[in-house]
C-alpha cells in the first residue's frame, strides 16, 4: 500500500475528494476545485472532466438523490459520505454526460469503492449503478413543472428558494432562473483601456481561433467561449485585462466615475470593481479601496500594480467603521458592493443553494442595512451612492433600498445612468421600452447569460 500513496489519481478520484470536502467541510466549490486541480496536475482533458463532475454533481444533487433513493435499499442517510458522493457522481455521468461510456463510469466507480472500502461496499456500488443503467428510462422528472415543488425537483433546487422566487418573479421566471443557474458560466474579460484597445484584443483572440464577442454591458468587456484559463496568459500578467463577469462590470459602468474624483469602494476584494473605477477615471483622482480581511488588501494592491494603476489606496477594516477613517461627506462617489446571499452566482458556486437558509438572508439583510447607513454618511451633497449585490433576493435588493430611502430624505434614486448601459438593458428586455427607468435594476442570470446582479444608483441631494 506504500506505493498507493504516490499513485497518480484519476479525474474521478480528484472530483470525489473535492465533492466530499465541499459537503463535509462547507468548502466553496470553485476554491476547492482549484486547489484539488493544482495538487493533482491532471491533463487538460482530465481536469475538464473533474471540473464537470464536481460542478454537475453539486448542481444536480437533489435530482440525483431523488433517483438514487429507489435503488439504495437501506436509504441514502445510512451511506458513508464518500460512498454517497461516489454514487451521485456516477449517476450524474450516466444521465447527463453523453460522451462518457456507461461502462467507464461504472467500472471506475467500482474500482474506487474497492480501493477505499470493503467488498460489501464495492458490491453495493456495482449493483446500484448497473441497476440504474438498466432502468435509465425510469429516471424521469416533471416535463411541465407547474408548482414551485416541481420546478425545484426538475432543476434541483430546495423548495424554499424556488417558492420565494416564484412569489417574487412568478413561476415562469422562477423556472428560467433555475435553468440558467445550471448552465456553465461564460468566460469574460475587461480590457484595461489604459493599456490596450478592446477591438485590438478582440482581433487577437479571434486570430487564435477563440470565439470572442464584445460585451453589450461594458465598452471594455469581451465574452470568450471556451478560452481556458484567461488569467494564465501573458496579456493578463501584463495588465491588459482583468477576468470579470459582465454583470460585475456593469456596476462600475453604472457608477460612471469621472477623472479627479475622490471615490470609495467599501467592500472591495478581490479588486475587480476598484480597478475598473480607476480605469474609468483614467487613473486620475483617488480610489480608496477597503476590505475587512488583511490578506485581501494584498490582493487588491497586487491587482492595481499589475494593471499599472497608481490612484488606488488600500485600507483594511469593517466597512461599518469607515466614517471613523474618512471625513463625513468627503466622497464624490461611494460604492457599497455589499455582502449578500450570492444567489446570483449559483452557476459559479452551486453549493450556495444547499448551504444558505432563509435565516441567512435575514441576517445578511440586517448587515447590509448597517453598512448602507455608514456608506451614506460619506457621500458629498450632490454625490453618488451605488449599492450592488450578486443576489436576486428582493429582501436584500429592492426592499433594502426602499427601506433606506424611507429613512433618508436626503437621498433619491438617480435614473441618469450612462446611455450605453440603458440601451443594453432595454435591448435585453430588463427595462421595458418606453418605461421610465427607476434608477435601480435587477439582472437575472438568464438576461445576458451572466451573473444575477442588483444595482441601485442614488444621489445625495445638495
Amino acid at each position: 500500500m506504500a506505493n498507493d500513496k504516490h499513485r497518480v489519481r484519476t479525474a474521478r478520484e480528484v472530483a470525489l475528494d473535492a465533492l466530499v470536502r465541499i459537503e463535509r467541510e462547507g468548502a466553496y466549490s470553485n476554491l476547492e476545485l482549484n486547489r484539488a486541480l493544482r495538487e493533482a496536475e491532471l491533463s487538460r482533458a482530465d481536469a475538464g472532466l473533474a471540473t464537470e463532475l464536481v460542478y454537475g454533481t453539486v448542481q444536480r444533487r437533489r435530482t440525483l438523490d431523488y433517483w438514487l433513493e429507489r435503488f439504495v435499499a437501506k436509504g441514502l442517510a445510512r451511506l458513508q459520505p464518500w460512498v454517497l458522493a461516489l454514487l451521485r457522481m456516477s449517476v450524474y455521468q450516466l444521465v447527463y454526460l453523453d460522451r462518457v461510456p456507461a461502462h467507464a463510469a461504472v467500472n471506475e466507480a467500482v474500482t474506487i469503492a474497492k480501493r477505499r472500502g470493503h467488498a460489501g461496499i464495492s458490491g453495493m456500488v456495482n449493483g446500484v449503478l448497473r441497476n440504474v443503467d438498466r432502468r435509465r428510462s425510469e429516471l424521469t422528472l416533471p416535463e411541465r413543472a407547474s408548482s414551485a415543488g416541481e420546478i425545484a425537483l426538475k432543476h434541483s433546487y430546495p423548495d424554499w428558494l424556488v417558492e420565494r422566487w416564484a412569489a417574487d418573479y412568478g413561476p415562469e421566471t422562477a423556472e428560467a432562473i433555475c435553468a440558467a443557474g445550471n448552465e456553465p458560466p461564460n468566460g469574460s474579460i475587461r480590457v484595461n483601456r489604459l493599456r490596450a484597445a478592446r477591438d485590438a484584443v478582440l482581433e487577437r483572440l479571434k486570430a487564435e481561433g477563440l470565439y470572442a464577442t464584445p460585451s453589450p454591458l461594458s465598452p471594455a468587456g469581451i465574452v470568450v467561449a471556451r478560452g481556458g484559463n484567461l488569467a494564465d496568459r501573458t496579456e493578463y500578467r501584463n495588465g491588459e485585462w482583468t477576468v470579470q463577469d459582465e454583470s460585475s462590470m456593469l456596476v462600475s459602468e453604472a457608477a460612471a466615475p469621472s477623472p479627479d474624483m475622490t471615490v470609495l469602494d467599501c467592500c472591495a476584494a478581490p479588486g475587480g470593481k476598484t480597478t475598473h473605477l480607476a480605469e474609468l477615471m483614467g487613473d486620475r483622482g483617488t480610489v480608496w479601496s477597503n476590505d475587512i480581511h488583511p490578506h485581501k488588501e494584498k490582493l487588491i494592491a497586487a491587482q492595481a500594480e499589475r494593471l499599472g494603476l497608481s490612484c488606488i489606496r488600500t485600507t483594511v477594516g469593517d466597512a461599518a467603521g469607515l466614517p471613523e477613517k474618512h471625513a463625513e461627506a468627503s466622497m464624490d462617489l461611494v460604492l457599497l458592493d455589499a455582502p449578500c446571499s450570492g444567489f446570483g452566482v449559483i452557476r459559479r458556486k452551486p453549493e450556495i443553494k444547499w448551504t444558505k437558509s432563509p435565516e441567512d438572508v435575514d441576517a445578511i439583510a440586517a448587515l447590509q442595512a448597517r453598512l448602507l447607513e455608514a456608506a451614506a454618511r460619506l457621500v458629498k451633497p450632490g454625490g453618488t451612492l451605488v449599492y450592488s449585490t450578486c443576489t436576486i433576493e428582493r429582501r436584500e435588493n429592492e426592499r433594502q433600498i426602499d427601506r433606506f430611502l424611507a429613512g433618508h430624505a436626503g437621498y433619491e434614486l438617480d435614473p441618469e445612468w450612462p446611455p450605453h448601459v440603458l440601451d443594453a438593458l432595454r435591448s435585453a428586455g430588463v427595462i421595458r421600452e418606453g418605461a421610465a427607468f427607476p434608477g435601480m435594476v435587477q439582472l437575472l442570470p438568464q438576461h445576458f447569460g451572466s451573473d444575477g446582479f442588483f444595482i441601485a444608483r442614488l444621489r445625495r441631494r445638495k
Side-chain angles (χ1 to χ4, degrees):
M1 295 298 290
N3 290 336
D4 194 59
K5 196 176 182 183
H6 303 289
R7 183 180 51 81
V8 175
R9 292 185 300 156
T10 66
R12 290 178 177 86
E13 288 176 302
V14 172
L16 177 62
D17 288 340
L19 286 167
V20 171
R21 285 197 188 94
I22 292 165
E23 183 82 13
R24 186 180 61 208
E25 300 170 14
Y28 289 121
S29 56
N30 59 334
L31 299 180
E32 177 56 35
L33 182 60
N34 288 340
R35 186 202 62 77
L37 292 178
R38 277 197 310 272
E39 286 184 3
E41 298 182 346
L42 298 174
S43 68
R44 183 168 180 173
D46 280 349
L49 175 60
T51 299
E52 172 70 39
L53 293 179
V54 170
Y55 282 121
T57 302
V58 176
Q59 281 173 341
R60 301 288 180 177
R61 191 182 87 178
R62 178 176 181 180
T63 306
L64 297 171
D65 286 358
Y66 172 72
W67 288 330
L68 275 168
E69 284 284 3
R70 69 187 73 171
F71 294 99
V72 178
K74 294 182 179 180
L76 304 187
R78 298 185 62 181
L79 295 176
Q80 294 180 55
W82 73 266
V83 177
L84 178 55
L86 179 61
L87 288 173
R88 286 171 173 164
M89 181 179 79
S90 302
V91 173
Y92 177 77
Q93 293 171 76
L94 292 174
V95 177
Y96 291 103
L97 297 187
D98 294 337
R99 66 186 183 277
V100 174
H103 67 85
V106 174
N107 290 346
E108 183 151 359
V110 173
T111 299
I112 293 172
K114 284 179 180 176
R115 187 174 291 130
R116 300 193 179 198
H118 52 70
I121 291 177
S122 62
M124 183 273 295
V125 167
N126 184 50
V128 167
L129 294 180
R130 293 195 184 282
N131 206 7
V132 169
D133 190 34
R134 279 195 302 270
R135 294 165 55 187
R136 230 187 282 194
S137 61
E138 298 176 29
L139 306 182
T140 58
L141 292 169
E143 291 230 0
R144 297 177 65 100
S146 55
S147 68
E150 288 176 336
I151 293 170
L153 176 59
K154 179 179 178 181
H155 297 284
S156 199
Y157 284 75
D159 284 350
W160 74 269
L161 196 52
V162 180
E163 286 166 3
R164 284 170 88 111
W165 292 345
D168 283 342
Y169 298 103
E172 187 176 333
T173 300
E175 181 165 13
I177 291 169
C178 291
N182 289 333
E183 293 292 324
N186 289 330
S188 55
I189 58 175
R190 187 191 78 235
V191 176
N192 177 4
R193 289 181 293 173
L194 303 180
R195 290 197 168 175
R198 180 170 76 166
D199 288 348
V201 174
L202 261 173
E203 291 308 311
R204 204 185 316 148
L205 292 170
K206 289 178 181 177
E208 294 179 25
L210 297 177
Y211 183 72
T213 56
S215 166
L217 289 178
S218 170
I222 298 176
V223 180
V224 187
R226 295 179 298 279
N229 185 356
L230 293 165
D232 187 26
R233 290 179 54 120
T234 301
E235 296 96 330
Y236 175 86
R237 290 187 285 273
N238 290 345
E240 286 189 39
W241 68 53
T242 294
V243 178
Q244 187 180 21
D245 184 77
E246 290 179 275
S247 296
S248 181
M249 295 180 211
L250 184 62
V251 176
S252 298
E253 296 287 349
S258 301
D260 302 317
M261 276 186 170
T262 303
V263 174
L264 171 63
D265 186 354
C266 299
C267 305
K273 297 178 187 67
T274 283
T275 54
H276 195 185
L277 291 167
E279 289 168 15
L280 289 170
M281 292 162 62
D283 199 28
R284 289 166 46 199
T286 303
V287 179
W288 290 99
S289 183
N290 179 77
D291 198 80
I292 194 169
H293 301 291
H295 70 281
K296 291 186 176 179
E297 180 190 26
K298 295 176 183 174
L299 290 178
I300 299 167
Q303 294 287 3
E305 183 178 359
R306 179 180 64 82
L307 295 163
L309 300 169
S310 60
C311 72
I312 294 171
R313 306 285 181 270
T314 60
T315 62
V316 176
D318 186 341
L322 285 170
E324 298 167 18
K325 293 183 178 180
H326 300 281
E328 293 209 12
S330 61
M331 301 290 168
D332 297 294
L333 166 66
V334 173
L335 167 60
L336 175 59
D337 186 46
C340 69
S341 57
F343 293 138
V345 295
I346 281 176
R347 55 158 59 105
R348 297 180 192 280
K349 300 177 182 177
E351 70 282 355
I352 287 173
K353 0 184 222 196
W354 314 120
T355 57
K356 299 290 185 185
S357 68
E359 292 74 27
D360 290 327
V361 173
D362 293 342
I364 290 168
L367 171 61
Q368 292 165 343
R370 186 165 64 92
L371 298 183
L372 256 175
E373 292 290 331
R377 290 166 55 189
L378 296 171
V379 181
K380 289 179 180 177
T384 298
L385 172 62
V386 173
Y387 173 84
S388 64
T389 71
C390 60
T391 192
I392 58 176
E393 177 60 45
R394 285 198 161 146
R395 170 107 192 253
E396 302 174 58
N397 295 342
E398 294 97 331
R399 291 169 198 152
Q400 186 72 266
I401 294 301
D402 289 344
R403 181 209 58 79
F404 173 80
L405 290 174
H408 294 79
Y411 275 90
E412 61 186 358
L413 280 164
D414 182 1
E416 299 300 318
W417 290 27
H420 73 272
V421 172
L422 297 179
D423 289 346
L425 294 174
R426 288 193 177 95
S427 69
V430 183
I431 306 173
R432 291 197 314 275
E433 288 292 341
F437 178 58
M440 58 181 173
V441 68
Q442 177 68 70
L443 284 183
L444 300 177
Q446 64 268 33
H447 283 145
F448 291 94
S450 57
D451 293 342
F453 246 85
F454 174 80
I455 308 166
R457 177 176 160 136
L458 300 97
R459 183 191 302 117
R460 186 170 188 174
R461 295 188 178 97
K462 293 182 179 178

